[in-house]
Amino acid sequence: SYHEIKDVRYDYAVLPWGATEAHNYHLPYLTDCYLSHDISVHSVEKAFTRYKIKGMVLPPVTFGSQNPGQYDIAFCIHARYETQKAILSDVVASLNRQGISKLFIVNGHGGNNFKNMVRDLAFDYPLFMLIIVNWYEVIPPGDYFDHIGDHADELETSVLMHYRPQLVNLPVAGDGHYKPFQSQALNEKVAWIPRDWTKISQDTGVGNPHRSTAVTGKKYADAVTGKLAELFM
């Protein structure tokens, strides 16, 4: 409440950013939002406990950029670049006016890309620092998980099992099997094009989630939030 924060000085703010989209059969549509928010809160708590710097976590943005096919799935919401930039611009303008000049975006959705937005905003707010981090790339997932994917996979499932186990229904999960590109160059990421989601995955997942555990999710989340706490210093 305002009563609790009105006399507190905050060193920075954190904006979790996710998406509204299907996540296989076993995870909720707001998975990316829940994960980016919970990772953010955990990291801010560690930053205060360890380094005595105080941050505020804002409500997560629920609108992400979708691939072709995803926005044909019921209730998947696609946000255009212009929409996301307008949201971010308003957040930066508000914080800047309030004297908060550092904002971390903790992104939980692979389709989001903020680099050009940050470059544009740097012209308008030269004293404002805007930092982007994809929380799922902070620590190499191969050190923790057996089956590496990139959507509703073992990583996302395990971390959500740690933070919000009541939202995970693992027994109904599909195997996350997906079709690679016909072009080997595209599979090797020599170039990039968006994937047509309904053609590559039957259950909307990319990566097998069945070996997910809350224990592994906690280990990974602890490592990630420790690194982010250092970043917030």
Side-chain angles (χ1 to χ4, degrees):
S1 69
Y2 180 56
H3 173 73
E4 295 172 301
I5 64 107
K6 67 185 184 71
D7 296 321
V8 179
R9 176 186 174 275
Y10 288 88
D11 300 289
Y12 62 97
V14 179
L15 179 61
W17 205 306
T20 301
E21 62 176 4
H23 271 73
N24 201 315
Y25 300 134
H26 65 293
L27 297 181
Y29 269 55
L30 288 181
T31 291
D32 293 339
C33 302
Y34 292 135
L35 290 173
S36 58
H37 174 268
D38 293 349
I39 288 286
S40 296
V41 170
H42 194 180
S43 302
V44 167
E45 290 173 345
K46 282 187 176 180
F48 181 71
T49 300
R50 296 178 180 182
Y51 311 116
K52 305 305 178 187
I53 56 170
K54 198 165 187 67
M56 172 63 73
V57 179
L58 301 173
V61 179
T62 60
F63 301 113
S65 177
Q66 305 290 0
N67 281 300
Q70 284 180 305
Y71 42 67
D72 295 323
I73 298 171
F75 307 114
C76 288
I77 307 300
H78 171 61
R80 297 175 180 272
Y81 174 89
E82 295 85 358
T83 304
Q84 291 187 314
K85 185 179 179 183
I87 293 171
L88 181 58
S89 297
D90 286 349
V91 172
V92 170
S94 298
L95 294 176
N96 184 70
R97 183 178 181 87
Q98 296 155 14
I100 299 169
S101 60
K102 184 184 293 186
L103 174 66
F104 296 88
I105 296 178
V106 174
N107 177 48
H109 175 61
N112 292 335
N113 191 324
F114 303 98
K115 290 182 179 180
N116 286 345
M117 300 179 200
V118 172
R119 293 185 179 105
D120 288 345
L121 288 166
F123 281 98
D124 298 329
Y125 302 93
L127 300 181
F128 194 97
M129 184 176 294
L130 190 52
I131 305 99
I132 313 299
V133 57
N134 296 326
W135 72 263
Y136 48 86
E137 295 178 341
V138 172
I139 299 293
D143 296 341
Y144 293 81
F145 304 104
D146 296 321
H147 299 289
I148 306 302
D150 62 15
H151 189 69
D153 60 347
E154 187 181 349
L155 186 161
E156 285 191 316
T157 302
S158 294
V159 177
L160 197 62
M161 289 174 74
H162 164 55
Y163 283 121
R164 302 183 187 229
Q166 74 279 8
L167 297 181
V168 180
N169 188 10
L170 193 56
V172 305
D175 62 11
H177 176 74
Y178 66 98
K179 296 179 182 178
F181 290 109
Q182 291 183 351
S183 167
Q184 187 57 30
L186 288 175
N187 290 322
E188 294 173 353
K189 299 184 178 180
V190 173
W192 177 88
I193 60 172
R195 295 172 286 183
D196 188 324
W197 217 260
T198 54
K199 292 181 179 179
I200 70 162
S201 174
Q202 182 175 352
D203 52 34
T204 79
V206 175
N208 192 332
H210 284 289
R211 298 191 67 175
S212 304
T213 69
V215 172
T216 308
K218 181 181 186 305
K219 290 179 181 178
Y220 188 74
D222 283 343
V224 170
T225 54
K227 284 291 186 182
L228 288 183
E230 294 178 10
L231 177 67
F232 295 162
M233 289 178 59

